[in-house]
């Protein structure tokens, strides 16, 4: 017994609902689909008799009663109408028109159904350039259709007639039609016009991003970005017929942002923002591209991720890399301008993108004890790079770092990660992370003959600063102009900042900060504290050993402590400011009554 073979029955209302809710982003695409079909028909006719090239749109008005789009393309016979328009999902247009893939835009046989999102009835009138009678196809949203041959002889081509639904008539009226036709079809290689009471309006014109006029290209980029681009990069991938321009942004987008591409297929707009045409690292450009070989998805609002798209992405990325490298060789000042604008974003991406890191890292800059340096210059001059992980540590260690070495400030966004990456990019470079305690241990103590005096100074000065929570050490630093450094472990600095914050916050936040301090205190060693490192090479520090008057000694040490805080960019608490004011006042009073050798405080 053989089973009976039956056809699936398609619920057209369900299909239209699927289109409007899950495939197309908006009913606005109805005009794009009609323009695509008309352009395909014109392309097919040119293969037959060389004629065709005009699309005319008559918007809906209360007087006209319907919306009409006409083309002078190849047209359809009665058989073709039934075959092409009645089979939902069949990609038969290519076979009927015998068109090469690169010459047509529509693929999925569902484009016309998008019109049911704005109308309940679609009427198509057509006459084929291959001969035959004129035909009329009428389709309804309930899933029925009929085809009749007409006695009248229509012009070769096709016209689509739509009577708008009550909730969609605005999309078929003149203002919306002009805006949609311009958005989707302004660069089509056929003439598109709109009928108005005042006459025809031409919509199409040459694509400025495909033109050879540099001024026109820059003007288009200025309209696209809202500002003049830093530069314009020509991009192409001939195998897929993909070409266009990438505009270098004159402003920095948010870190990690991916600049989307305005994409055209056969000069018909695919989407304003397609995010997979360029490599992810090319966030600093906004591209406008046209292609005849890339495949759109069913919605024709994005691209199919296939081998062709992967090749395009690789080739366009190579073009952007060449621009960077050539700019570095021929116009390094312009490359420096580019890096200055996009440096944070570039630093963010090179940590994870080997391709980008390989060619852009040497142009990025870092703050060092030798000033701001490009990484290329840094690794050329210093095979061993030392870095501090935070800004506070850098400020503390920079004051005692030998001039023959380099110290990098890794406290800014992404800089520490970037420094750690250097040995991978430059195998001859080594990297070392430094901390305050380790650097303090590297410092030489005072000479042996002075050791006893220095130890006594540490003890006496430390007693003065006990109330400030700061101990004192004496070391020899090869900078005679430097009297002292305030050094502390990062956790100590955070604890100090919390204590100062408590003084200016309410009870709620004070309680939170108290609990944080309690937890931090339990987790760290008891001997961890802030220290004032006095420089034995400084004459004021050595003179302190000879000061017998406790008041003068105490006030001088307090001022050295305040000076070290300010030099290290540490904020002063209310107690610190009060200490500075009283110390200065007392020293002025004491100095007025001292005879003989008075201490000079010029270097304080």
């Amino acid at each position: 017994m053989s089973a009976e073979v039956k056809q699936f029955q398609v619920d057209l209302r369900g299909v239209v609902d699927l289109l409007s809710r899950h495939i197309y982003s908006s009913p606005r695409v109805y005009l794009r689909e009609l323009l695509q079909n008309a352009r395909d028909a014109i392309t097919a006719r040119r293969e037959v008799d060389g004629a065709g090239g005009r699309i005319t749109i008559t918007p809906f008005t209360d007087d006209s009663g319907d919306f009409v789009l006409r083309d002078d393309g190849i047209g359809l016979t009665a058989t073709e109408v039934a075959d092409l328009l009645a089979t939902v999902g069949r990609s038969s247009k290519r076979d009927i028109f015998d068109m090469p893939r690169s010459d047509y835009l529509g693929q999925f046989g569902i484009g016309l159904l998008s019109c049911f999102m704005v109308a309940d009835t679609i009427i198509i009138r057509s006459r084929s350039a291959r001969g035959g009678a004129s035909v009329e196809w009428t389709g309804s949203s309930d899933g029925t259709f009929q085809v009749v041959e007409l006695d009248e002889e229509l012009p070769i081509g096709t016209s689509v007639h739509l009577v708008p639904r009550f909730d969609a008539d605005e999309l078929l009226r003149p203002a919306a039609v002009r805006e949609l036709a311009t958005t989707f079809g302004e660069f089509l290689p056929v003439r598109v016009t709109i009928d108005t009471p005042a006459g025809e309006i031409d919509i199409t014109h040459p694509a400025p991003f495909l033109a050879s006029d540099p001024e026109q290209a820059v003007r288009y980029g200025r309209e696209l970005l809202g500002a003049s681009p830093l530069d314009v990069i020509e991009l192409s991938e001939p195998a897929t017929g993909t070409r266009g321009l990438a505009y270098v942004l004159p402003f920095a987008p948010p870190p990690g942002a991916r600049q989307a591409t305005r994409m055209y297929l056969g000069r018909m707009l695919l989407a304003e923002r397609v995010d997979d045409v360029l490599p992810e690292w090319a966030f600093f450009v906004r591209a406008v591209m046209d292609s005849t070989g890339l495949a759109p998805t069913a919605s024709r609002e994005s691209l199919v991720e296939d081998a062709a798209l992967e090749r395009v992405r690789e080739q366009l990325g190579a073009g952007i890399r060449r621009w960077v490298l050539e700019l570095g060789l021929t116009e390094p000042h312009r490359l420096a301008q580019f890096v200055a604008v996009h440096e944070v974003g570039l630093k963010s991406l090179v940590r994870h993108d080997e391709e980008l890191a390989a060619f852009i890292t040497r142009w990025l800059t870092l703050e060092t004890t030798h000033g701001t340096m490009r990484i290329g210059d840094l690794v050329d001059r210093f095979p061993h790079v030392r870095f501090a992980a935070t800004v506070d540590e850098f400020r503390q260690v920079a004051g005692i770092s030998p001039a023959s070495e380099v110290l990098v400030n890794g406290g800014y966004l992404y800089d520490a990660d970037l420094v750690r990456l250097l040995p991978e990019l430059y195998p001859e470079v080594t990297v070392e992370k430094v901390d305050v305690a380790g650097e303090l241990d590297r410092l030489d103590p005072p000479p042996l003959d002075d050791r006893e005096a220095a130890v006594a100074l540490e003890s006496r000065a430390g007693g003065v600063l006990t109330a400030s929570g700061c101990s004192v050490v004496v070391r020899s630093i090869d900078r005679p102009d430097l009297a002292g450094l305030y050094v502390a472990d990062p956790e100590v600095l955070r604890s100090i900042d919390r204590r100062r914050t408590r003084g200016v916050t309410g009870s709620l936040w004070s309680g939170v900060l108290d609990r944080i301090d309690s937890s931090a205190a339990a987790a760290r060693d008891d001997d961890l504290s802030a220290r004032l490192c006095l420089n034995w090479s400084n004459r004021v520090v050595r003179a302190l050993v000879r000061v017998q008057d406790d008041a003068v000694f105490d006030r001088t040490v307090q001022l050295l402590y305040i000076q070290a805080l300010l030099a290290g960019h540490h904020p002063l608490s209310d107690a610190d400011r009060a200490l500075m004011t009283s110390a200065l006042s007392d020293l002025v009073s004491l100095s007025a009554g001292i005879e003989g050798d008075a201490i000079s405080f010029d270097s304080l």
Side-chain angles (χ1 to χ4, degrees):
M1 179 178 179
S2 60
E4 181 181 359
V5 178
K6 297 183 178 181
Q7 290 284 104
F8 278 106
Q9 299 298 311
V10 177
D11 180 358
L12 189 57
R13 290 187 185 274
V15 171
V16 172
D17 181 70
L18 178 67
L19 294 178
S20 61
R21 293 178 183 272
H22 302 290
I23 295 182
Y24 293 125
S25 60
S26 164
R28 290 163 51 92
V29 301
Y30 84 92
L31 188 54
R32 182 193 67 192
E33 298 298 322
L34 292 178
L35 287 171
Q36 286 179 341
N37 288 340
R39 183 265 174 96
D40 289 343
I42 291 171
T43 302
R45 182 175 181 182
R46 287 173 175 172
E47 294 294 322
V48 172
D49 59 15
R54 176 80 178 270
I55 300 172
T56 303
I57 306 173
T58 304
F60 165 76
T61 64
D62 294 334
D63 294 333
S64 67
D66 65 353
F67 164 98
V68 183
L69 185 143
R70 299 178 177 85
D71 68 70
D72 56 1
I74 194 169
L76 298 166
T77 65
T79 301
E80 291 170 346
V81 165
D83 192 19
L84 184 62
L85 301 181
T87 308
V88 176
R90 179 180 175 188
S91 185
S92 55
K93 186 191 305 182
R94 180 185 180 192
D95 299 328
I96 289 177
F97 291 163
D98 192 25
M99 298 165 62
R101 180 179 180 83
S102 63
D103 289 340
Y104 76 100
L105 299 173
Q107 296 183 76
F108 298 96
I110 60 174
L112 186 67
L113 296 185
S114 66
C115 293
F116 283 123
M117 293 190 290
V118 296
D120 287 327
T121 301
I122 303 172
I123 299 173
I124 295 178
R125 299 188 179 102
S126 186
R127 185 164 75 92
S128 175
R130 295 189 176 101
S134 302
V135 297
E136 179 180 273
W137 178 93
T138 302
S140 300
S141 59
D142 61 4
T144 61
F145 72 92
Q146 60 181 8
V147 180
V148 298
E149 292 189 357
L150 302 177
D151 294 332
E152 61 179 306
E153 187 172 286
L154 299 175
I156 292 176
T158 301
S159 63
V160 180
H161 304 253
L162 304 176
V163 177
R165 292 195 329 225
F166 72 94
D167 58 347
D169 68 324
E170 289 299 323
L171 289 176
L172 281 74
R173 290 185 180 273
V177 167
R178 182 172 181 177
E179 187 264 326
L180 293 174
T182 302
T183 297
F184 294 120
E186 63 177 327
F187 302 134
L188 282 174
V190 298
R191 187 184 179 195
V192 179
T193 62
I194 297 179
D195 289 332
T196 72
E200 292 180 342
I201 299 175
D202 276 295
I203 295 298
T204 49
H205 56 89
F209 57 91
L210 301 177
S212 58
D213 183 358
E215 292 185 6
Q216 189 178 7
V218 171
R219 188 163 51 250
Y220 181 75
R222 191 179 299 116
E223 295 173 0
L224 179 70
L225 304 180
S228 296
L230 286 180
D231 208 345
V232 181
I233 309 170
E234 293 187 16
L235 299 175
S236 67
E237 200 290 303
T240 58
T242 302
R243 62 192 183 108
L245 301 175
Y247 294 97
V248 183
L249 300 179
F251 47 82
R258 186 172 182 176
Q259 280 300 316
T261 298
R262 179 182 285 183
M263 192 70 208
Y264 292 81
L265 292 184
R267 303 193 189 183
M268 170 75 76
L269 179 68
L270 179 76
E272 287 282 355
R273 303 183 67 84
V274 179
D275 63 3
D276 48 10
V277 179
L278 297 180
E280 185 175 354
W281 53 259
F283 68 93
F284 49 82
V285 300
R286 177 80 190 277
V288 185
M289 305 299 299
D290 179 69
S291 180
T292 58
L294 293 178
T297 59
S299 67
R300 291 200 275 271
E301 294 173 352
S302 59
L303 295 169
V304 173
E305 185 65 46
D306 56 12
L309 180 57
E310 183 177 356
R311 175 178 173 81
V312 166
R313 191 159 46 236
E314 291 175 355
Q315 293 301 309
L316 300 189
I320 297 174
R321 286 199 304 275
R322 281 194 300 272
W323 170 80
V324 174
L325 295 174
E326 291 173 2
L327 204 62
L329 293 173
T330 60
E331 299 180 88
H333 63 286
R334 292 186 60 210
L335 183 59
Q337 180 187 12
F338 159 71
V339 171
V341 172
H342 296 287
E343 189 158 33
V344 173
L346 292 170
K347 287 180 178 180
S348 171
L349 283 182
V350 297
R351 301 172 304 146
H352 311 294
D353 194 301
E354 295 180 2
E355 183 182 24
L356 178 64
F359 73 90
I360 199 65
T361 300
R362 69 177 297 105
W363 300 102
L364 303 177
T365 62
L366 295 168
E367 181 184 352
T368 78
T369 46
H370 292 264
T372 300
M373 297 181 66
R374 287 194 317 188
I375 289 178
D377 297 332
L378 175 68
V379 297
D380 288 343
R381 290 178 54 187
F382 299 98
H384 183 64
V385 177
R386 306 167 72 239
F387 76 99
T390 68
V391 174
D392 282 324
E393 286 183 298
F394 174 78
R395 288 169 177 168
Q396 295 177 86
V397 177
I400 54 179
S401 180
S404 60
E405 299 180 357
V406 68
L407 179 70
V408 174
N409 184 355
Y412 295 122
L413 192 61
Y414 309 123
D415 282 7
D417 291 338
L418 188 57
V419 175
R420 293 188 183 98
L421 187 65
L422 293 183
E424 298 179 23
L425 301 173
Y426 308 95
E428 70 280 3
V429 173
T430 56
V431 168
E432 176 191 1
K433 181 179 179 294
V434 303
D435 56 65
V436 176
E439 290 303 293
L440 202 58
D441 291 340
R442 291 181 65 194
L443 294 176
D444 295 328
L448 190 59
D449 293 344
D450 299 332
R451 195 71 53 82
E452 184 177 349
V455 172
L457 178 59
E458 285 182 353
S459 177
R460 188 180 177 192
V464 175
L465 298 179
T466 299
S468 299
C470 183
S471 60
V472 176
V473 294
V474 179
R475 295 289 187 270
S476 291
I477 305 173
D478 190 21
R479 284 186 52 186
D481 60 313
L482 180 68
L485 284 173
Y486 180 84
V487 293
D489 182 274
E491 179 55 41
V492 173
L493 291 176
R494 287 191 288 270
S495 178
I496 292 171
D497 288 340
R498 287 194 293 269
R499 288 200 300 270
R500 288 170 177 160
T501 302
R502 274 201 301 272
V504 294
T505 57
S507 58
L508 173 61
W509 286 111
S510 293
V512 172
L513 295 172
D514 281 337
R515 286 192 291 274
I516 294 175
D517 271 344
S518 298
S519 300
R524 67 174 185 262
D525 296 332
D526 292 336
D527 61 349
L528 192 63
S529 65
R531 283 167 284 188
L532 175 64
C533 178
L534 296 177
N535 182 13
W536 190 253
S537 301
N538 180 266
R539 65 190 184 90
V540 173
V541 172
R542 291 198 306 273
L544 276 173
V545 176
R546 304 193 304 273
V547 175
Q548 301 300 318
D549 189 301
D550 289 339
V552 173
F553 181 89
D554 292 355
R555 299 303 183 266
T556 304
V557 170
Q558 290 167 352
L559 285 177
L560 289 174
Y561 164 72
I562 296 297
Q563 181 198 44
L565 281 177
L566 293 173
H569 303 276
H570 302 294
L572 299 183
S573 66
D574 291 340
D576 293 331
R577 285 191 290 270
L579 182 65
M580 178 177 63
T581 301
S582 62
L584 283 172
S585 177
D586 290 348
L587 277 176
V588 170
S589 300
L590 290 167
S591 297
I594 292 178
E595 297 181 358
D597 263 345
I599 297 174
S600 172
F601 300 103
D602 294 342
S603 63
L604 296 181

